Amino acid sequence: MNEEKHTAGESFRFQVNLGGMLDILSNHLYKSPDVFLRELLQNGADAITLRQKRQPGWTGGRITVSLEPGKRMVFRDNGAGLDREEIHRFLAVIGQSSKTLLEADGTMPEDYIGRFGIGLLSCFMVSDSIVIETQPAAGGQAHVWTGYPDGTYTLEPVEVGLAGTAVTLTAKKGAEGYFYRKAVERLVRYYGLALPVPVRLAGEEEPMNRVPGDFSSLSRGRLLDFGSRLFDEEFLDVIPISTPHLSGAAFVLPYRTDPSAKGGHRIYLKQMLLTEQGDTLMPPWAFFLRCFLNTRGLRPTASREDFYEDAALDTAREEFAGAVRDYLERLSQEEPERLRQLVEVHSQAIKSMAVWDDGLFRLFIDYLTFETSEGSLTGRGLKRAGAGTWVGSVPRFQQLKPVFLAQGRLLVCTGYVYDEELVTKMARYFSLPFSPLGEDEMDLVLEDPSLEEKQKAFDLLRMADRVLAPMDCQGEARRFLPSDLPALYTLNENSRFLRQMEAAQGMDSFFSDALSSMLSGSGAQVLGTLYLNLNNRLVRELMTAGDRERVESAIELLYVQALLAGGHPLRGGELRLMNQAIMALVAGGES
């Protein structure tokens, strides 16, 4: 440790343990040695940007990579280069930025990607030495700087060469794979695809990186073609993105995808790849998109593999959501059929958006589909239907569907994710006479019998009460359609909860004793009602049948059938009841 004394007190200077720094780089800061090429691309692009600032009108920036396969790589840019003072300042101090690159407030200009120092150290992950030959574009002495992992470096003047900087790396053991053409092409296209500077292999004219300069001016066909080549798959549609913080395109996947899928994007910061993960920048509903985005004005983390959470990132998120919303709104006005196809494929993602985003709700609700007693209807169809009722249980919907259909009334199934929130929101937004069907509102779909019919059904109902009493159920007579449906079983929400508890208690589970304790305080009460349909031929015949045992067995079977049709959990006693009723009917038939 070096020590210096000053009159105002003691001051100490610490030395960096470069070996420890390399361990941090390879094991903690960076996910892969791949990033060494990213750092070289960043430094090369910044050097070219600096030369353009110093020499207005100069446009000949380029980066060239020469390879000795498996052994050596020379990475050359024709940017501003470094003089002796800059070499000592930039290459000898980790993380140092050129004072000439700083704005008046001490920040980096937006057109610079990174800085020398810690990024350059990433090259030690693939090479035991870093040799930098640099010639200032403004003229002056050229130098060769050679750095080693122990923290030492040499510097010597050389004859004037080509303007710019050349970095030579020699493959260390285990890193030879990075020094082949295929690997270099892959990494250049991965990290530097969006760079405005062409990156070529030595001796070749075609650059390894080529993307559109202005996405907003490209046709839909050209954008889709670019997305197909970039992501190696065909897309359903493409949404151009052009905002103060973002530029690029969001490609719509042609298939449904899981909401947990966050990766697969290409998100760049100042035209250098930052991450493939979209959960930091994009809203959670964007999982049906694959994005190619270049960002500006956002802060990267230390590893430059994600963004810092700050106000600028919040603004960028809002810009992205607004760009997608504006595009879809234009689509609804200009090409509604294409929007309908998009919604059909990604209805689940769009429903999740529309629940919380009022703008997207108004945009999409006419195209979203819902299951109803009259088949699948869109939001537009529901608005035209007028009055309606919704039920939040799929089995319950299936049970009541024929009743509502026969009566010419609309029943909507909201037992699927987001459907109840959307139907409720639609009723509120458009003042529609839609309401939920409560279990205590069954009279709305059932018709009371006449006094004469009640008298004829009296004996059957008294028998039903006696048979169903052990199941905490009572019998009622009603008329309803369709006539083929002999019985309906209903219970209110409190009773539904108790019934589920009883069903759970019947299982040999760890919680059986606890459930027994809870149920002991519920007291004896009627949990449900079995409505017998007087329009049904079987029910009418039971009213006049003389064989009491067979009528009781038939009531037991109708009860279990109604439970199953309504999706209610069966308790152990009800399974035995069904078996006994079937045996009684079989025995009666044989006799």
Side-chain angles (χ1 to χ4, degrees):
M1 178 178 294
N2 295 332
E3 180 179 336
E4 294 181 355
K5 293 188 177 181
H6 301 271
T7 56
E10 290 188 305
S11 176
F12 300 91
R13 178 181 300 160
F14 66 85
Q15 295 176 337
V16 174
N17 181 332
L18 194 54
M21 280 295 300
L22 292 177
D23 176 69
I24 292 173
L25 288 173
S26 58
N27 295 322
H28 302 285
L29 185 60
Y30 295 128
K31 295 178 181 178
S32 165
D34 286 2
V35 297
F36 85 92
L37 194 58
R38 181 189 71 183
E39 302 298 336
L40 292 176
L41 287 168
Q42 288 175 341
N43 288 341
D46 280 347
I48 289 170
T49 300
L50 180 57
R51 182 173 178 182
Q52 289 170 338
K53 283 182 174 292
R54 291 175 174 175
Q55 300 178 11
W58 179 75
T59 58
R62 64 181 183 274
I63 293 173
T64 305
V65 183
S66 303
L67 289 171
E68 186 178 343
K71 296 180 180 180
R72 188 170 289 103
M73 174 189 303
V74 180
F75 190 96
R76 178 180 296 276
D77 69 74
N78 64 342
L82 300 171
D83 60 26
R84 182 181 179 86
E85 179 187 353
E86 290 171 333
I87 290 171
H88 283 297
R89 191 192 318 158
F90 303 155
L91 302 184
V93 182
I94 291 175
Q96 180 68 47
S97 291
S98 167
K99 291 181 181 178
T100 61
L101 302 186
L102 297 179
E103 301 283 16
D105 61 358
T107 61
M108 291 284 288
E110 282 198 3
D111 48 1
Y112 294 100
I113 302 169
R115 58 178 65 194
F116 292 105
I118 194 168
L120 188 63
L121 288 180
S122 64
C123 294
F124 282 126
M125 292 193 288
V126 297
S127 176
D128 284 330
S129 65
I130 304 173
V131 180
I132 299 178
E133 181 178 338
T134 182
Q135 167 69 58
Q141 180 65 56
H143 290 84
V144 172
W145 178 96
T146 305
Y148 302 96
D150 62 3
T152 62
Y153 68 91
T154 63
L155 181 64
E156 55 184 293
V158 294
E159 293 185 7
V160 175
L162 296 174
T165 301
V167 180
T168 300
L169 305 177
T170 302
K172 66 193 300 183
K173 187 175 182 180
E176 296 89 351
Y178 291 103
F179 290 72
Y180 288 94
R181 174 184 180 131
K182 187 174 181 180
V184 170
E185 287 180 331
R186 175 180 64 85
L187 293 177
V188 167
R189 288 173 181 151
Y190 180 69
Y191 287 113
L193 185 65
L195 282 177
V197 179
V199 184
R200 296 180 173 89
L201 285 169
E204 298 193 6
E205 289 298 319
E206 188 71 18
M208 291 180 279
N209 60 326
R210 175 181 289 179
V211 297
D214 181 8
F215 283 84
S216 62
S217 65
L218 293 183
S219 67
R220 177 173 178 268
R222 289 187 63 189
L223 279 175
L224 287 172
D225 180 64
F226 170 73
S228 175
R229 288 186 285 107
L230 178 64
F231 293 106
D232 196 27
E233 64 178 315
E234 302 297 323
F235 291 100
L236 183 65
D237 203 356
V238 57
I239 303 172
I241 307 292
S242 181
T243 75
H245 286 88
L246 306 170
S247 63
F251 298 91
V252 182
L253 290 169
Y255 50 82
R256 294 176 183 174
T257 185
D258 191 277
S260 63
K262 303 292 185 181
H265 306 283
R266 295 290 182 89
I267 300 176
Y268 296 75
L269 176 63
K270 300 173 187 175
Q271 299 173 310
M272 179 63 66
L273 183 75
L274 189 83
T275 181
E276 289 186 320
Q277 303 301 310
D279 50 337
T280 302
L281 176 62
M282 288 177 286
W285 48 258
F287 58 84
F288 67 101
L289 301 172
R290 287 289 176 271
C291 296
F292 176 88
L293 296 174
N294 184 48
T295 66
R296 305 188 75 82
L298 303 183
R299 293 177 59 209
T301 58
S303 65
R304 277 179 272 182
E305 294 175 341
D306 211 338
F307 298 105
Y308 274 117
E309 287 283 350
D310 57 17
L313 183 60
D314 290 339
T315 301
R317 285 195 198 101
E318 293 172 3
E319 291 174 0
F320 179 85
V324 174
R325 184 188 301 113
D326 291 347
Y327 175 82
L328 296 175
E329 194 161 342
R330 289 195 302 272
L331 209 60
S332 70
Q333 298 169 0
E334 300 169 6
E335 298 184 67
E337 179 58 25
R338 184 140 60 92
L339 180 61
R340 187 197 64 77
Q341 293 174 357
L342 187 154
V343 174
E344 185 177 346
V345 174
H346 296 292
S347 59
Q348 200 65 18
I350 292 169
K351 283 184 177 182
S352 71
M353 288 191 286
V355 165
W356 62 268
D357 189 306
D358 290 348
L360 289 171
F361 170 80
R362 289 190 294 269
L363 173 62
F364 281 121
I365 192 61
D366 282 353
Y367 301 91
L368 296 173
T369 57
F370 301 87
E371 186 175 356
T372 77
S373 54
E374 298 179 7
S376 180
L377 289 181
T378 62
R380 180 183 286 121
L382 290 180
K383 287 193 289 187
R384 292 173 177 171
T389 305
W390 76 77
V391 59
S393 164
V394 176
R396 190 78 176 127
F397 167 78
Q398 296 296 340
Q399 183 187 34
L400 293 175
K401 176 180 176 180
V403 176
F404 275 75
L405 185 61
Q407 295 181 1
R409 301 178 58 203
L410 181 67
L411 181 66
V412 183
C413 178
T414 58
Y416 303 104
V417 179
Y418 305 120
D419 280 11
E420 185 156 354
E421 294 94 328
L422 289 172
V423 171
T424 304
K425 193 170 184 177
M426 184 165 56
R428 184 175 70 252
Y429 263 72
F430 303 108
S431 301
L432 300 178
F434 276 55
S435 60
L437 176 71
E439 296 294 347
D440 55 352
E441 297 179 89
M442 283 302 294
D443 288 343
L444 295 175
V445 296
L446 305 175
E447 179 184 344
D448 281 329
S450 64
L451 179 60
E452 181 181 357
E453 289 173 327
K454 288 182 179 180
Q455 292 174 341
K456 291 181 179 179
F458 179 78
D459 290 338
L460 177 63
L461 293 176
R462 188 172 59 177
M463 195 179 305
D465 286 344
R466 185 171 60 252
V467 170
L468 301 176
M471 275 67 70
D472 302 315
C473 181
Q474 64 183 7
E476 293 283 352
R478 294 287 192 276
R479 285 188 177 277
F480 52 88
L481 297 174
S483 58
D484 291 338
L485 188 65
L488 281 173
Y489 177 81
T490 69
L491 72 170
N492 58 42
E493 288 304 316
N494 290 335
S495 299
R496 183 185 299 276
F497 174 68
L498 290 174
R499 181 174 185 85
Q500 291 172 341
M501 289 177 59
E502 287 183 334
Q505 182 198 15
M507 304 176 185
D508 184 15
S509 70
F510 175 79
F511 298 102
S512 181
D513 292 340
L515 291 172
S516 297
S517 177
M518 294 174 67
L519 287 168
S520 64
S522 63
Q525 57 180 303
V526 175
L527 294 180
T529 301
L530 182 68
Y531 291 99
L532 299 174
N533 186 4
L534 297 182
N535 288 332
N536 182 263
R537 178 181 175 184
L538 172 60
V539 173
R540 293 198 301 271
E541 289 186 1
L542 290 176
M543 290 167 55
T544 59
D547 190 333
R548 176 178 170 179
E549 291 186 2
R550 296 187 68 181
V551 172
E552 289 181 347
S553 297
I555 292 172
E556 292 169 344
L557 284 176
L558 289 177
Y559 169 73
V560 176
Q561 180 192 47
L563 287 179
L564 294 173
H568 301 288
L570 294 185
R571 297 169 289 189
E574 289 158 351
L575 291 172
R576 290 192 297 273
L577 184 72
M578 179 176 66
N579 292 331
Q580 292 170 1
I582 293 174
M583 292 175 63
L585 289 174
V586 171
E590 291 176 349
S591 62

